[in-house]
Amino acid sequence: MASTPAMGDPCFDVDKLSYEIFTILESKFLFGYDDPKLFLNESSPETPAKNHASPTISSGKVRILSIDAISDCLVAAAFLARIESSLRIQSGDPAAPIADFFDIAAGSGAGGVISAMLFTRGANGRPLFSAEETLCFLAKNGLPSARKGLFRAMLRRSIDGSFRKIFGEATLRDTVKPLLIPCFDFSTGAPFLFSRADAVETDGYDFRIREICAATCGVLKAMEMKSIDGRTRIAAVGGEVAMANPTAAAITHVLHNKQEFPFASRVEDLLVVSIAGVAPELAGRSSQSTAEALRIAGNGMADTVDQVIAMAFSQNRTNNSNYVRLQAHGLGIDAIKGSNRDAKQIMETAEAILGQRNVESVLFQGRKLSQETNAEKLERFAAELIEEHDNRKKSRIPTVFIKQIMTPRTSSATTITSTTLSGSPRPNSSHS
């Protein structure tokens, strides 16, 4: 048997170098981390540990809400209503909307619509919907199923119908906090991320919320849409195709957007809750339809993102409160029978889901049940949010600096041109 290399052996040095290179590449892959100081020798005076000119400043943790592209959107809405209820009780504010306790939201597909409902500004300057109101609205206006979801039904009834009633003429600029919603752009053959950070800098990346929601929910047919000034045109298809789980995009956005999140430089500076739908039961099926195959691909993509992020935060998520993934298994809203299903019945089913042991994804090893229930993880995370909320009241340094509008809003009726900017780079400051 070969002996273990001694500390001074050349092969040991090669292994150590290989490990360091892999660590740098892994960090860059996960978060686009680009710090030239990583490559400097420890003896260099520029080594971060010995550079006293730029001390580490911590003014709190950035709070991220991410919602998957899910078919059973009521499960996500029920999760959010429960989180909001817990936050209201712990904060002592019975009317606080969930948007008050998060700094940025990312949502894909139906999750994008829920995010937009929670973070779009209403006439009074507050969010259009609380999580409780969102759940009631969804329960009243329709229920999703495995094949025909509420939002796809809305899309068939035209954009200027249901989504117009919810969002009116609001655009990405009209959100109370940063918002990220993905789609796939056929004109460039690449994912496109609708971002408030870009919208506040130029009309060329400002889009109407109702059109963004229709685009991220589309699956089979691309939707032609243009920015407020008409210069950026894209052929958008659903977020489920492009980015079923937008959590990684949200984390990357925060870590690189130094204008709005100047003190967030590592995952330890974040509090992330990622909400998934119901884990599919596919065992024993020998064949799937095209729609099911797309769903499988989306679920696999979402789980892979979850696995990678979980590893970045901690090998053992049970003892790590910075990142929480909520997902139901074996029980969905379809378990509620009858045609008159209301928010109370949905919450009862949601309570049953919350009582389940939390589902965790293990890298390349499928799923496992954790020792905690969904409710226990949720309550623990809510306590973290409240602690962060209270700490900010005492801190003199703001944790987040929300971008203000850089240019006046331009009427699309007077500036539409034939110029296409879909392939142009975005403003450098947002790094979406």
Side-chain angles (χ1 to χ4, degrees), residues 61-66 102 247-248 250-251 267 269-275 309 313 321-325 381 385:
K61 296 178 180 179
V62 177
R63 306 161 300 180
I64 299 174
L65 172 63
S66 177
F102 286 93
T247 310
I251 291 174
V267 294
D269 300 324
L270 311 176
L271 287 174
V272 183
V273 61
S274 174
I275 297 179
I309 291 174
F313 274 85
S321 56
N322 280 41
Y323 173 63
V324 173
R325 173 82 164 166
F381 189 81
L385 290 175

Coordinates of all heavy atoms in Angstrom, one line a residue, residues 61-66 102 247-248 250-251 267 269-275 309 313 321-325 381 385:
K61 N -27.8 41.1 7.8 CA -27.9 40.0 6.8 C -29.0 40.4 5.8 O -30.1 40.9 6.2 CB -28.2 38.7 7.5 CG -27.1 38.2 8.4 CD -27.5 36.9 9.0 CE -26.4 36.4 9.9 NZ -26.7 35.1 10.6
V62 N -28.7 40.2 4.5 CA -29.7 40.4 3.5 C -30.7 39.3 3.5 O -30.3 38.1 3.4 CB -29.0 40.6 2.1 CG1 -30.1 40.8 1.0 CG2 -28.1 41.7 2.1
R63 N -32.0 39.6 3.4 CA -33.1 38.6 3.5 C -33.7 38.3 2.1 O -34.2 39.2 1.5 CB -34.1 39.1 4.5 CG -33.6 39.5 5.9 CD -34.5 40.4 6.7 NE -34.8 41.6 6.0 CZ -35.6 42.6 6.5 NH1 -36.1 42.5 7.7 NH2 -35.8 43.7 5.8
I64 N -33.6 37.1 1.7 CA -34.0 36.7 0.3 C -35.2 35.8 0.4 O -35.1 34.8 1.1 CB -32.8 36.1 -0.4 CG1 -31.6 37.0 -0.5 CG2 -33.3 35.6 -1.8 CD1 -30.4 36.4 -1.1
L65 N -36.2 36.1 -0.4 CA -37.3 35.2 -0.6 C -37.3 34.7 -2.0 O -37.2 35.5 -3.0 CB -38.6 35.9 -0.3 CG -39.9 35.2 -0.7 CD1 -40.1 33.9 0.2 CD2 -41.2 36.1 -0.5
S66 N -37.3 33.4 -2.2 CA -37.3 32.8 -3.5 C -38.5 31.7 -3.7 O -38.7 30.9 -2.7 CB -36.0 32.1 -3.8 OG -36.0 31.4 -5.1
F102 N -38.4 41.1 4.1 CA -37.5 40.6 3.1 C -36.9 41.8 2.3 O -37.6 42.8 2.2 CB -38.1 39.6 2.2 CG -38.4 38.3 2.8 CD1 -39.6 38.0 3.4 CD2 -37.4 37.3 2.8 CE1 -39.8 36.7 4.0 CE2 -37.6 36.0 3.3 CZ -38.8 35.8 3.9
T247 N -33.3 30.7 -6.9 CA -32.6 31.1 -5.7 C -31.1 31.4 -6.0 O -30.6 32.4 -5.4 CB -32.6 29.9 -4.7 OG1 -34.0 29.5 -4.5 CG2 -32.1 30.3 -3.3
A248 N -30.5 30.6 -6.8 CA -29.1 30.9 -7.1 C -28.9 32.3 -7.8 O -28.0 33.0 -7.6 CB -28.5 29.8 -8.0
A250 N -30.9 34.9 -7.4 CA -31.1 35.9 -6.3 C -29.8 36.1 -5.5 O -29.4 37.2 -5.2 CB -32.3 35.5 -5.5
I251 N -29.2 35.0 -5.1 CA -28.0 35.0 -4.3 C -26.8 35.7 -5.1 O -26.2 36.6 -4.5 CB -27.5 33.6 -3.9 CG1 -28.5 33.1 -2.8 CG2 -26.1 33.7 -3.3 CD1 -28.2 31.6 -2.5
V267 N -22.0 33.9 1.8 CA -23.3 33.4 2.1 C -23.7 33.6 3.6 O -24.9 33.6 3.9 CB -23.4 31.9 1.7 CG1 -23.3 31.7 0.2 CG2 -22.3 31.1 2.5
D269 N -23.6 36.2 5.0 CA -24.3 37.5 5.1 C -25.7 37.5 4.6 O -26.3 38.5 4.5 CB -23.5 38.6 4.3 CG -22.1 38.7 4.8 OD1 -21.8 38.6 6.0 OD2 -21.2 38.9 3.9
L270 N -26.2 36.3 4.4 CA -27.6 36.2 3.8 C -28.5 35.3 4.7 O -28.1 34.5 5.5 CB -27.5 35.5 2.5 CG -26.5 36.0 1.5 CD1 -26.5 35.1 0.2 CD2 -26.8 37.4 1.1
L271 N -29.8 35.6 4.6 CA -30.9 34.8 5.2 C -31.8 34.4 4.0 O -32.4 35.3 3.4 CB -31.7 35.5 6.2 CG -31.0 35.7 7.6 CD1 -31.9 36.6 8.5 CD2 -30.7 34.4 8.3
V272 N -31.9 33.1 3.6 CA -32.6 32.7 2.4 C -33.6 31.7 2.7 O -33.4 30.7 3.4 CB -31.6 32.1 1.4 CG1 -32.3 31.7 0.1 CG2 -30.4 33.1 1.1
V273 N -34.9 32.0 2.3 CA -35.9 31.0 2.3 C -36.3 30.7 0.9 O -36.6 31.6 0.1 CB -37.1 31.4 3.2 CG1 -37.8 32.7 2.7 CG2 -38.2 30.3 3.2
S274 N -36.3 29.4 0.5 CA -36.6 28.9 -0.8 C -37.9 28.1 -0.7 O -37.9 27.1 0.0 CB -35.5 28.2 -1.4 OG -35.8 27.6 -2.7
I275 N -38.9 28.4 -1.5 CA -40.2 27.7 -1.4 C -40.4 26.9 -2.7 O -40.4 27.5 -3.8 CB -41.3 28.7 -1.1 CG1 -41.1 29.3 0.2 CG2 -42.7 27.9 -1.2 CD1 -42.2 30.3 0.6
I309 N -26.7 25.0 -3.5 CA -26.8 26.1 -2.5 C -26.6 25.6 -1.1 O -26.0 26.2 -0.2 CB -28.1 26.9 -2.7 CG1 -28.1 27.6 -4.0 CG2 -28.3 27.8 -1.5 CD1 -29.4 28.3 -4.3
F313 N -23.9 26.8 1.8 CA -24.2 27.3 3.1 C -23.7 26.4 4.2 O -23.1 26.9 5.2 CB -25.7 27.4 3.3 CG -26.3 28.7 2.8 CD1 -26.6 28.9 1.4 CD2 -26.4 29.8 3.6 CE1 -27.1 30.1 0.9 CE2 -26.9 31.0 3.1 CZ -27.2 31.2 1.8
S321 N -29.3 27.9 10.1 CA -30.6 28.7 10.0 C -30.5 29.7 8.9 O -31.5 30.5 8.7 CB -30.9 29.3 11.4 OG -29.9 30.1 11.8
N322 N -29.4 29.8 8.2 CA -29.3 30.9 7.2 C -30.0 30.5 5.9 O -30.3 31.3 5.1 CB -27.8 31.1 6.9 CG -27.2 32.1 7.9 OD1 -27.4 31.9 9.0 ND2 -26.4 33.0 7.4
Y323 N -30.2 29.2 5.7 CA -30.9 28.7 4.4 C -31.9 27.7 4.7 O -31.6 26.7 5.4 CB -29.8 28.2 3.5 CG -30.5 27.5 2.2 CD1 -31.2 28.3 1.3 CD2 -30.3 26.2 2.0 CE1 -31.8 27.7 0.2 CE2 -30.9 25.6 0.8 CZ -31.6 26.3 0.0 OH -32.2 25.8 -1.2
V324 N -33.1 27.9 4.3 CA -34.2 27.0 4.5 C -35.0 26.7 3.2 O -35.3 27.7 2.5 CB -35.2 27.5 5.6 CG1 -36.5 26.7 5.7 CG2 -34.6 27.7 6.9
R325 N -35.2 25.5 2.9 CA -35.9 25.0 1.7 C -37.2 24.3 2.2 O -37.2 23.4 3.0 CB -35.1 24.1 0.9 CG -35.8 23.4 -0.3 CD -35.8 24.3 -1.5 NE -36.2 23.6 -2.7 CZ -36.5 24.1 -3.8 NH1 -36.6 25.5 -3.9 NH2 -36.8 23.4 -4.9
F381 N -36.7 29.9 11.1 CA -36.3 31.0 10.2 C -37.0 32.3 10.5 O -36.4 33.3 10.4 CB -36.6 30.5 8.7 CG -36.1 31.4 7.7 CD1 -34.7 31.3 7.3 CD2 -36.9 32.4 7.1 CE1 -34.2 32.2 6.4 CE2 -36.3 33.3 6.1 CZ -35.0 33.1 5.8
L385 N -35.5 36.1 11.1 CA -35.9 37.3 10.4 C -36.3 38.4 11.4 O -36.0 39.6 11.2 CB -37.2 37.0 9.5 CG -36.9 36.1 8.3 CD1 -38.2 35.8 7.6 CD2 -36.0 36.8 7.3

